[in-house]
Amino acid sequence: MKKILTGGVGKAEVAQTITAMAVDGVEVAVSNDMDAAMKLRAGQADYFLGTCHTGAGASLGVLVGLMGRKACHTFGRSVPSEDEVAALLAGGTKVFGFSMDQIDTVAPVITRAIAAHSG
């Protein structure tokens, strides 16, 4: 079971979107930045999806500081492909940020890539 934590301005909406997908092997929980960082570092969660108004950085500010830039990636206002997300997952990325007005398109792409990822 892969556990995804959500945070930021649209954290409840991201969790609802992922829950509605009903993807086998994926569990989601609403969190906050600090708690998520601690759970990720302790192995109590696997991934974090954070949102802010622009996706430019506030969605991941605390996590970049505590997890390191290599573990984090923000898509800003772009919509990634599953292949892009898969490449980031293969490289060790665990924390993803994006704009809250793109939750309906970005969260499913990331969630499907996480579900398919063998790591």
Side-chain angles (χ1 to χ4, degrees), residues 9-22:
V9 180
K11 62 186 172 188
E13 293 88 346
V14 174
Q16 291 169 352
T17 299
I18 295 170
T19 299
M21 293 175 66

Side-chain angles (χ1 to χ4, degrees), residues 3-23 26-31 47-53 59-60 96-112 114:
K3 185 167 187 174
I4 300 172
L5 301 177
T6 66
V9 180
K11 62 186 172 188
E13 293 88 346
V14 174
Q16 291 169 352
T17 299
I18 295 170
T19 299
M21 293 175 66
V23 176
V26 173
E27 175 186 353
V28 65
V30 174
S31 187
Y47 301 98
F48 176 82
L49 276 57
T51 53
C52 68
H53 290 285
S59 59
L60 303 180
F96 298 92
F98 52 97
S99 174
M100 68 177 284
D101 66 343
Q102 297 192 347
I103 290 171
D104 291 342
T105 53
V106 177
V109 170
I110 297 171
T111 301
R112 285 190 298 269
I114 287 172

Side-chain angles (χ1 to χ4, degrees), residues 25-84:
V26 173
E27 175 186 353
V28 65
V30 174
S31 187
N32 63 59
D33 297 356
M34 188 63 86
D35 188 46
M38 296 302 114
K39 286 183 177 177
L40 286 165
R41 291 174 79 181
Q44 298 170 344
D46 303 296
Y47 301 98
F48 176 82
L49 276 57
T51 53
C52 68
H53 290 285
T54 64
S59 59
L60 303 180
V62 170
L63 284 122
V64 169
L66 294 174
M67 300 290 296
R69 182 153 305 278
K70 183 175 176 3
C72 304
H73 180 81
T74 185
F75 294 107
R77 298 199 38 76
S78 67
V79 177
S81 69
E82 285 186 43
D83 288 341
E84 288 175 89

